[in-house]
Structures are given as structure tokens and as C-alpha cells.
Amino acid sequence: MLKEYDSILVMHDLVEQMGRKIVVDKSSNCVGNRSRLWTNEDIDKVMQNNWGTKEIEGVISSTSCEVLWDPEAFSTLHNLRLLMISSDFHVPIGLKCLSHALKVLYWTKYPLDTLPSGTRLHELVDLRMHHSKLKKLSLVRYLIL
């Protein structure tokens, strides 16, 4: 059941659990083929080993830690539309790219001072990077006439 409280959409816990079970059951053997990743264990497996596929559309994490993700890991997430990291992540080896399909990018305490070079976020509609170390944001939009 979905309800709206003060312009916020809230889902019953059982509906959320059922949705998560459906995602896991569709690809129980290969975490990289799941459409959504929300546990740090699954996210780390995919990002450290560069196991991402075009199936992944959303990544949501909220635990603080140091992550040793493969800098190229986002390059295989061609359909990643939602990236929400609401924690203090340390990415000591950096990132080489972000998905060009991102529509929503929330990264609280983004640990780097720039986005990866060549980042093209043409689909982006919501950007929230509170308390980040980001010093320069170069999001160039191209206008097609």
C-alpha cells in the first residue's frame, strides 16, 4: 500500500520486502544482473569486481565505509538511472566515469573534488550532493536545434 504524507510517498514495509524479493529471485545467482542494488554487500561485489551489467537501473547505499571499487565499474552500468549514496564513502582510487543515463544523482559527502572527466549527464533531472568535496561541476548540456 502506498500513502502520501506531506507530499512524501510512503510504502508499507511488506510491499518493499516483496519488491526486493522479486528483484533477488529474478537473478539470485548473479548479483550483477539485478535491476536494483541496495545492500552494501551486493554493491561492493558488483563495484569491486566490475560485475555490473545493463540490467542495473538503481543503486542505493547508506552505510559509511571505505570502498575499493574498480574505477571503471560504472562504465558497464549503461542503464543506471538512479544513484543514491547517503553516507560517508571514501573512494581512494577514484572513479573513471558515471553512467550517462543517470536521471537522479544523490551523493551526500561525495568524496572527490570533481566528477570523473568526460561525465555527460544529459538525462539528469535531480542532483543533490550535500556536504560533498566537489569543487567544480561541469555539466554541459547540448541544445539540439
Side-chain angles (χ1 to χ4, degrees), residues 47-62:
M47 301 305 281
Q48 286 175 1
N49 300 300
N50 203 358
W51 289 348
T53 67
K54 64 180 181 175
E55 302 301 319
I56 298 173
E57 297 177 9
V59 174
I60 300 173
S61 178
S62 62

Side-chain angles (χ1 to χ4, degrees), residues 79-116:
N79 292 321
L80 184 67
R81 296 178 297 169
L82 171 71
L83 178 59
M84 297 177 75
I85 299 178
S86 56
S87 60
D88 193 4
F89 266 51
H90 301 283
V91 188
I93 51 180
L95 301 173
K96 295 256 177 150
C97 63
L98 286 174
S99 172
H100 301 315
L102 277 173
K103 293 186 182 296
V104 176
L105 173 57
Y106 294 1
W107 196 323
T108 302
K109 298 182 180 179
Y110 179 75
L112 307 172
D113 58 358
T114 62
L115 291 176

